[in-house]
Amino acid sequence: MHLEIDTLAYRNRLSSLPPEQKLIFAVVLLAIAAIAHPPTQIAIAIWMALWILAYARIPPRVYWKLMAVMSVFLLMSLPALAVQIVSSAQIKIIASDAWKGANFGQWYVYISRSGIGQAALIAIRSLASISCLLFLLLTVPFVQLLQTFRRLGMPALLGELLLLMYRFVFILLQTAYQLKTAQEARGGYRSWTRSMHSISLLVSQLLARSLQRYQQFSLGVAARGFEGEFRVESLRQSCYSKRYALEAAIGCIVLGGLEVWMRVS
């Protein structure tokens, strides 16, 4: 999957646009999504999906798979907002807010109506923000993004940390994929018991293999004369598009107007 993401970032229909143009567009929408009401955030998520699927021509299966993976992590965090725990003596105080609940000794665990509303608001805002980040991930190669950050004045140390994190995340994923493939070839997932045993072995071996790959990476960098700064070059020529800039500007103005109208009304 990570190799496919890199390939799409270089070969999508918007790859000829300057990375600054796409970065500014995504950041403006991200800022609007952070302060907007749910209807505006839903419109942002739909509009970004249109740019990714229709304009950039990213395969739908890749987009929805990435969205599903990120949504799983989002859903895992929402129960902490919806589920509340109070003392049994406070049941009468929270009676109007409790939707469903049960006693567990001296404690009362319940699903909060206000918590559900707050979780829904956070979920919608998160989906809009994720859409903006996926637009950058799938349409801007990381090398170009890093060069843009450096031109904007980002400290070199921070840029190098981002580059190392980006590299080592892929090393971790590739190592996990190789270990899982080897286990599947040996029938490690034929039953529930063997699957749990294989997963435990994978987790235990993942750290050791990743550290080994890290050591190999460090030796390779040192052998190539590393002097304390990673230098990246991109030979791809960019071409500013007035059409996309106009569409982006009109869309941002419409979204901003929608948000202002909702706040006034």
Side-chain angles (χ1 to χ4, degrees), residues 15 37 70 72 90 109 125 130 148 165 187 196 216 233-234 239:
S15 61
H37 286 80
M70 295 184 179
V72 168
Q90 298 178 314
V109 180
R125 180 180 293 112
I130 289 172
T148 303
M165 290 173 59
M196 293 297 100
Q216 294 172 352
E233 297 293 339
S234 177
C239 180

Side-chain angles (χ1 to χ4, degrees), residues 179 183 194-206:
L179 290 173
Q183 289 177 338
R194 290 184 63 86
S195 296
M196 293 297 100
H197 179 67
S198 297
I199 291 175
S200 63
L201 289 177
L202 188 149
V203 173
S204 64
Q205 290 292 322
L206 186 58

Side-chain angles (χ1 to χ4, degrees), residues 37-236:
H37 286 80
T40 306
Q41 293 166 349
I42 294 174
I44 290 175
I46 295 174
W47 195 34
M48 292 309 297
L50 176 65
W51 276 80
I52 294 172
L53 298 176
Y55 289 176
R57 298 291 178 88
I58 301 297
R61 62 175 183 83
V62 175
Y63 174 74
W64 293 118
K65 187 175 182 178
L66 289 172
M67 184 65 75
V69 171
M70 295 184 179
S71 298
V72 168
F73 288 98
L74 172 62
L75 293 175
M76 290 174 62
S77 64
L78 295 182
L81 298 172
V83 179
Q84 304 291 332
I85 303 176
V86 298
S87 173
S88 298
Q90 298 178 314
I91 295 180
K92 294 183 179 180
I93 300 177
I94 52 90
S96 60
D97 186 47
W99 180 52
K100 297 287 184 179
N103 284 301
F104 294 92
Q106 298 180 349
W107 302 99
Y108 183 70
V109 180
Y110 70 98
I111 300 177
S112 171
R113 299 180 189 274
S114 60
I116 293 175
Q118 185 180 10
L121 292 176
I122 292 177
I124 295 174
R125 180 180 293 112
S126 299
L127 289 177
S129 302
I130 289 172
S131 299
C132 298
L133 295 177
L134 283 181
F135 174 77
L136 286 178
L137 177 66
L138 294 171
T139 62
V140 184
F142 185 80
V143 171
Q144 294 183 8
L145 194 61
L146 188 60
Q147 289 176 331
T148 303
F149 287 152
R150 289 181 176 177
R151 286 195 293 267
L152 294 176
M154 173 184 285
L157 179 60
L158 183 57
E160 291 175 7
L161 289 175
L162 289 175
L163 181 61
L164 289 174
M165 290 173 59
Y166 182 79
R167 171 60 180 164
F168 290 135
V169 165
F170 285 169
I171 288 178
L172 184 66
L173 292 175
Q174 186 176 8
T175 304
Y177 176 77
Q178 291 173 349
L179 290 173
K180 188 173 184 296
T181 302
Q183 289 177 338
E184 290 178 343
R186 294 174 174 83
Y189 295 90
R190 289 182 298 179
S191 63
W192 172 260
T193 303
R194 290 184 63 86
S195 296
M196 293 297 100
H197 179 67
S198 297
I199 291 175
S200 63
L201 289 177
L202 188 149
V203 173
S204 64
Q205 290 292 322
L206 186 58
L207 178 60
R209 294 291 183 88
S210 299
L211 291 177
Q212 184 181 7
R213 293 286 299 275
Y214 166 76
Q215 185 179 12
Q216 294 172 352
F217 175 79
S218 301
L219 292 175
V221 169
R224 290 171 174 83
F226 178 65
E227 298 179 352
E229 181 180 357
F230 290 102
R231 298 184 181 274
V232 294
E233 297 293 339
S234 177
L235 303 178
R236 181 179 295 271

Side-chain angles (χ1 to χ4, degrees), residues 17-33:
L17 296 181
E20 296 86 354
Q21 186 175 358
K22 291 179 281 189
L23 179 62
I24 293 173
F25 176 49
V27 169
V28 170
L29 286 180
L30 188 61
I32 296 175

